[in-house]
Amino acid sequence: MNVAEWTAVVTAAGSVLGGGGWFVARATVRAARATAAATEAAARATAAPAQLEANLAVLKASVERVDEENGQLRGRQVRFESLLRAFAWTVDRWAGQMHRAGIEPEPVHPLVEEYNRTGV
């Protein structure tokens, strides 16, 4: 082979290898992106149990607070219902006293009449 032929071979090889270099560089960038994505996914997977535990702690605290508030509200509701029954009983006694004394009391409010009928 003479110099011209060698030059042609080297030029052709350089073109092929240069083009191949572009593909290699492109593959390297893709590999780097895939590695970064895998690293990020691994970090998320590692942090997931800690995040779940933190979320569970917040949920438990919320449930305890709501249970305490519900207990207080139930106590207040029971006390209020007892007071309402006592008040209704007292007013009924007074109305009976007024009837026996010949005094006609004012008609009761419709809500009071409903409570006296249904207990609700």
Side-chain angles (χ1 to χ4, degrees), residues 26-108:
R26 192 169 163 199
T28 302
V29 169
R30 285 186 179 167
R33 286 183 188 155
T35 301
T39 302
E40 183 179 337
R44 269 189 264 128
T46 302
Q51 183 63 41
L52 287 175
E53 191 172 319
N55 290 347
L56 182 61
V58 169
L59 180 62
K60 283 181 179 178
S62 297
V63 167
E64 289 172 4
R65 180 183 54 80
V66 168
D67 282 347
E68 181 180 336
E69 289 175 2
N70 282 345
Q72 292 172 352
L73 289 174
R74 284 185 188 115
R76 290 177 67 187
Q77 182 178 358
V78 166
R79 175 72 179 137
F80 181 74
E81 288 172 351
S82 298
L83 177 65
L84 179 62
R85 277 196 289 302
F87 183 76
W89 182 75
T90 301
V91 170
D92 186 56
R93 276 188 323 144
W94 290 345
Q97 286 176 346
M98 290 175 74
H99 282 298
R100 284 190 299 277
I103 304 169
E104 189 60 35
E106 292 285 322
V108 296

Side-chain angles (χ1 to χ4, degrees), residues 11-24:
T11 303
S15 296
V16 169
L17 291 178
W22 180 77
F23 286 113
V24 169

